[in-house]
Amino acid sequence: MPSFFKGFLQNPKRVGAIMESSRFLVDKIMKHVELRENDCVVELGAGLGVVTERLVKILPEGAKLLTFELNPEFVAELKERFKDPNVAVIQDKAQNLGKHLQEHGYEKADIVVSIVPLKHVQAPEILSTVKDCLKEGGKYIQVSLVGKEMLADKFTYLHEEWTFLNIPPEKVHVCVNRPPSETG
């Protein structure tokens, strides 16, 4: 089984933490996830699948989960664990989300859950992609210690919650996609 810590040591910019997300962090994320039949949910930065597992458990009939991960070892593990036809494990960067939505028959996502750290140089590009690929009124849940200002610039910012029972402690930011005319 691939090691999260080993992945962090090999590429700390790509693997943003030394350990997988704790159940406490996953609980805080999941309390904001509400899915309906035929929804498309996107997960960015799946890691070894701790959030993926919880999303799959609540995935309604006809809904689809597109889960993105760059680390090839993690992708192989995810594909082995999640063989559900309504789950697509995608080894690609977040910036290509639009292409993958179209390939799976969706114009836009209903909800995006991202554990990709916003401290990276590509954060503005990733946020623009999410903005463009998320339905108006769609929910965007971002796990990141930083980024409130970047998020509030593109989305209606609802709130943030700290999770101290995680290594490292993290914030869960909850936003809603607003019409382009309301983008700051």
Side-chain angles (χ1 to χ4, degrees):
M1 177 169 192
S3 162
F4 208 82
F5 184 66
K6 179 182 167 192
F8 174 80
L9 290 176
Q10 290 173 339
N11 195 339
K13 286 188 175 185
R14 188 171 285 172
V15 180
I18 60 169
M19 295 179 69
E20 291 181 88
S21 300
S22 72
R23 70 178 169 90
F24 303 102
L25 178 60
V26 177
D27 287 346
K28 287 207 177 165
I29 293 167
M30 294 305 295
K31 77 180 188 179
H32 301 288
V33 176
E34 301 149 10
L35 296 175
R36 296 176 313 271
E37 191 174 316
N38 300 318
D39 272 358
C40 178
V41 60
V42 171
E43 178 188 19
L44 303 175
L48 290 171
V50 294
V51 175
T52 314
E53 184 175 340
R54 293 280 294 279
L55 290 169
V56 169
K57 284 182 181 177
I58 67 163
L59 202 62
E61 183 80 26
K64 186 84 171 183
L65 170 60
L66 306 182
T67 186
F68 286 71
E69 177 54 54
L70 288 173
N71 182 312
E73 289 180 19
F74 293 0
V75 168
E77 175 70 18
L78 291 166
K79 285 183 176 183
E80 182 63 32
R81 284 181 62 201
F82 303 106
K83 296 182 179 182
D84 184 320
N86 293 323
V87 177
V89 177
I90 299 165
Q91 185 176 349
D92 202 354
K93 58 186 183 176
Q95 294 90 323
N96 293 328
L97 172 58
K99 174 184 91 164
H100 293 286
L101 284 168
Q102 287 182 349
E103 287 175 2
H104 290 276
Y106 292 93
E107 187 178 326
K108 304 259 184 183
D110 296 281
I111 186 167
V112 175
V113 177
S114 175
I115 298 124
V116 174
L118 291 180
K119 63 185 175 196
H120 295 289
V121 177
Q122 299 162 337
E125 188 179 340
I126 291 169
L127 291 178
S128 291
T129 299
V130 171
K131 172 95 181 131
D132 293 343
C133 293
L134 184 62
K135 286 182 180 174
E136 187 177 312
K139 197 176 281 184
Y140 177 39
I141 301 164
Q142 173 66 55
V143 175
S144 186
L145 286 174
V146 298
K148 181 176 180 177
E149 295 77 21
M150 285 189 286
L151 291 165
D153 186 49
K154 292 200 177 292
F155 303 92
T156 299
Y157 193 86
L158 300 179
H159 70 278
E160 67 184 41
E161 281 183 78
W162 274 100
T163 304
F164 294 103
L165 295 173
N166 193 69
I167 299 173
E170 288 283 7
K171 286 183 191 177
V172 175
H173 303 269
V174 182
C175 307
V176 173
N177 201 10
R178 60 183 179 224
S181 61
E182 295 179 23
T183 303

